[in-house]
Amino acid sequence: MKKVDTKIIYNAKDAAPLPEELFAAVKNGELAVIPTETVYGLAANGLDENAVANIFAAKGRPSDNPLILHISDIAMWETLVTNIPNNARRLAEKFWPGPLTIILPKSEIVPLKSSGGLSTVAVRMPMHPIAQKIIKATSLPLAAPSANISGKPSPTKLEHCISDMMGKVSYIVDGGDCALGVESTVIDMSGETAVILRPGSISPEQIAEVIGEVIVDEAVLSPLSNGDAPLSPGMKYMHYSPNAQVYIVKGSLEAFSSYLKDVSAEGSYAMVFDGEEEAVPLPSVSYGGKENYSSQANRLFASLRKLDKPEIKYIYVRSPAKDGIGLAVYNRLIRAAGFNIINLEV
Ligand code: TXA
Ligand code: MG
């Protein structure tokens, strides 16, 4: 890829108007990293094949992994899909703007490059005011995957975006730390039954309250068996990983600490819950309160990035719970761990 001169727009408090040049660049097919309430996105015109191709190149993303189109109003959604079933509309009414992505059959204007060759398209209306302003000002549905290099933890802070995207995009727009910290819940509404393909801050329980039945896809919690085609292409790739080998450890804090006493390999670190640092025999980083799932979601990726250093070879992580937003945290961590789980439960 040709090296680009990246401009950073410092605007963490959303206090200043965004420059017209930014909107012009996006309309012109250029790339911009933008803040959303979930994670930072690597945005470009989702209807422009060349712009979309540049997103894939900047991330090093496999071309069969489809993108999410970000919209600012329902009228824009109607142009991107063939039909909006009632249940999809009810979910949008309840959770948009916000961290929910809805998959439906795509209309002709959505290029196959954006949808990774699929006949469906994923759409979400973000809540972050800066994301909304950019979509409104350009009147374009913006394709925006998480703004990390493919395979790395998603960026939740400006510094993560600078480290992954400097020299690859025209603009990086600062919007402060992301409020939620894990990517949106992705739900497929294109079939008879609604299926959650990726858990996020909006839980299966909350979705069931609005539409009744919803299934959580098996691939959310388990590795795909060889030869299985995933419903969500993103599920088949290694994800969210620092350089170190990550292990999820299930069981009590006592069992965790006593197991780690026998771990002597150099470069071993632990990721624990708040207040547990002193109880473990390895250097550690905490990633949230044990019962506070939102705080875990909020700090997960930044904690994994903190431990992404050449001298760190092994990371042992206290396992999160699997209910509510905990499911989203667990889903990201088992992928970071390549499904390596140490079970100390009795
Ligand atoms: O919160 C978010 O969703 C963030 C922010 C920037 O909006 N975006 C994000 O995009 O996480 P990305 O590209 O990193 O993840 C999109 C996921 C991938 O796992 C992809 O495979 C899946 O959604 N996906 C997208 N379109 C799909 C489709 N038509 N069918 C099935 N899965 C789809
Ligand atoms: Mg991603």
Side-chain angles (χ1 to χ4, degrees), residues 39 59 61 65 145-148 151-152 154-155 183 198 239-240:
V39 301
K59 273 184 70 86
R61 180 175 173 115
N65 193 0
S146 49
N148 52 289
K152 289 286 158 197
S154 298
E183 308 88 339
R198 181 177 72 182
H239 248 119
Y240 316 117

Side-chain angles (χ1 to χ4, degrees), residues 58-60 146-153 155 163-165 168 305:
K59 273 184 70 86
S146 49
N148 52 289
I149 293 169
S150 210
K152 289 286 158 197
S163 103
D164 282 19
M165 289 298 151
K168 297 180 178 176
R305 277 183 182 255

Side-chain angles (χ1 to χ4, degrees), residues 256 260 268-272 280 282-285 307 314-317:
F256 184 79
L260 293 184
S268 297
Y269 281 70
M271 242 170 81
V272 299
V280 296
L282 294 178
S284 63
V285 160
L307 296 177
Y314 305 96
I315 305 171
Y316 296 87
V317 187

Side-chain angles (χ1 to χ4, degrees), residues 150-170:
S150 210
K152 289 286 158 197
S154 298
T156 57
K157 293 171 180 286
L158 177 67
E159 69 207 54
H160 303 156
C161 302
I162 292 175
S163 103
D164 282 19
M165 289 298 151
M166 206 63 189
K168 297 180 178 176
V169 300
S170 299

